[in-house]
Amino acid sequence: MTRILVTGATGNIGRMTLEHLLKRRPAGDLVGLARDPARASGLASKGIEIRRGDYFDHDGLLRAFDGIEKVMLVSATAFTDRTTQHDNVITAARHAGVKHLVYMPIIHKPGSVFILPQVTEEDRRVEEKLKASGLTYTLVRHPPFLENIELYAGGNLLNAGVNAPAGAGKAAYACRDDLAEAHAVVLSESGHENKAYSLYGGPAVSFRDVAQILSEISGRPVPFNTIPDQDYIARLMAAGLPEPAAGFVLAWVQGVNAGEWDGQSDDLEKLLGRKPTTPTELLRALYGGNRG
């Protein structure tokens, strides 16, 4: 019996990955890792074993990985010493006898000089460490989450329009549920050993495109307004984000405007066996009833 452990079981991606794995493997094959197992009671109620573990606790990870063959390493949150956390997971996995580790770095466009703070360089380090570790690995590289379009575009989109810093770049966003399903496929099948996938969704859209899609969905003009970076941060802060978080959101938007995630790949579609969720489908689900 191959036992599969998914870290971050109380977060969106970890939980969704385990829920998709349940459709492909018996619950007894699955383990979730959580700092607070009580918060994963929903998964436990479905028969998934939940083990306690913290990325900063190497010895605890070593115990949690006992008897595990495959580990899905869900990325640590930015600005939390991701390097130490990821190094601990990889080292503990190797010492515990884990055979295969799957990791979800951000897509970095070949030749690009764009650096997303606390993400790009740390993810590159994980890729290098995995390749040198002796573990079998799979890299499931992510674009920005499709669900974040609404935040990036300024929120309250039908009434306020799409408000973002100037730029015509596009991004091929992918939704969390599609990415989690792709993770489950990689974890539950053979044939993905030592491979790297770029899980672009599609079609790629700019913020101007988002305004046009919303206009078509709502039947009323939704403008695209370019605003200075500082005004953009001020709007996010007025909506409740602390300044560091607002600055981090701006960095993602700058990456979109620079075309960092405008690539094309059918990797996600092939893993899913269907077309990924599109921006139009997501925005129709959010605004088809003319919310706002």
Side-chain angles (χ1 to χ4, degrees):
M1 179 179 67
T2 299
R3 300 208 76 191
I4 301 167
L5 181 145
V6 178
T7 72
T10 59
N12 286 322
I13 288 291
R15 174 180 53 79
M16 290 177 177
T17 298
L18 283 163
E19 288 173 345
H20 279 291
L21 278 167
L22 270 175
K23 302 171 186 176
R24 308 175 65 88
R25 286 293 186 89
D29 291 357
L30 307 178
V31 179
L33 187 78
R35 288 194 300 269
D36 180 3
R39 293 181 55 212
S41 58
L43 293 170
S45 70
K46 297 175 182 179
I48 296 175
E49 179 185 357
I50 305 298
R51 297 183 181 178
R52 186 183 303 278
D54 187 308
Y55 290 173
F56 284 111
D57 179 7
H58 174 274
D59 291 344
L61 292 170
L62 199 60
R63 291 189 293 272
F65 293 160
D66 182 49
I68 300 297
E69 182 171 329
K70 293 184 179 181
V71 168
M72 171 80 206
L73 170 53
V74 174
S75 300
T77 304
F79 305 100
T80 61
D81 188 3
R82 299 176 77 232
T83 295
T84 295
Q85 294 181 80
H86 294 153
D87 283 358
N88 280 342
V89 173
I90 294 168
T91 302
R94 184 165 54 84
H95 289 164
V98 171
K99 303 300 183 187
H100 189 167
L101 194 145
V102 178
Y103 181 63
M104 43 173 278
I106 191 71
I107 291 171
H108 184 69
K109 194 174 183 179
S112 170
V113 297
F114 175 79
I115 300 295
L116 187 65
Q118 291 287 313
V119 176
T120 305
E121 292 178 341
E122 289 79 0
D123 280 356
R124 281 174 163 177
R125 176 184 168 85
V126 174
E127 293 193 21
E128 292 169 2
K129 189 173 181 68
L130 270 177
K131 291 174 181 178
S133 69
L135 292 165
T136 299
Y137 66 88
T138 308
L139 301 172
V140 283
R141 297 183 176 126
H142 285 193
F145 294 138
L146 183 57
E147 294 88 343
N148 286 345
I149 280 184
E150 189 175 27
L151 170 64
Y152 297 162
N156 191 25
L157 303 184
L158 293 188
N159 290 329
V162 173
N163 293 275
K170 301 188 176 189
Y173 301 88
C175 77
R176 290 185 181 92
D177 194 61
D178 285 349
L179 292 168
E181 184 176 346
H183 299 167
V185 171
V186 168
L187 288 162
S188 61
E189 293 181 351
S190 60
H192 306 288
E193 295 80 6
N194 299 325
K195 292 185 177 181
Y197 298 109
S198 293
L199 302 184
Y200 290 110
V205 293
S206 66
F207 291 111
R208 187 178 295 277
D209 293 333
V210 171
Q212 180 61 36
I213 292 168
L214 286 167
S215 297
E216 294 170 359
I217 288 170
S218 66
R220 68 197 214 208
V222 176
F224 168 59
N225 307 310
T226 60
I227 58 176
D229 289 355
Q230 285 308 116
D231 290 354
Y232 182 78
I233 287 178
R235 290 173 67 96
L236 291 173
M237 292 175 64
L241 282 183
E243 187 170 6
F248 190 50
V249 172
L250 173 62
W252 282 95
V253 170
Q254 289 170 335
V256 172
N257 283 336
E260 178 68 11
W261 301 292
D262 66 357
Q264 294 182 345
S265 165
D266 60 0
D267 288 347
L268 182 56
E269 181 177 346
K270 285 182 175 178
L271 289 171
L272 297 176
R274 59 173 172 79
K275 293 284 186 182
T277 305
T278 67
T280 297
E281 289 169 335
L282 174 91
L283 290 168
R284 184 176 291 117
L286 291 174
Y287 292 99
N290 287 345
R291 187 186 77 187

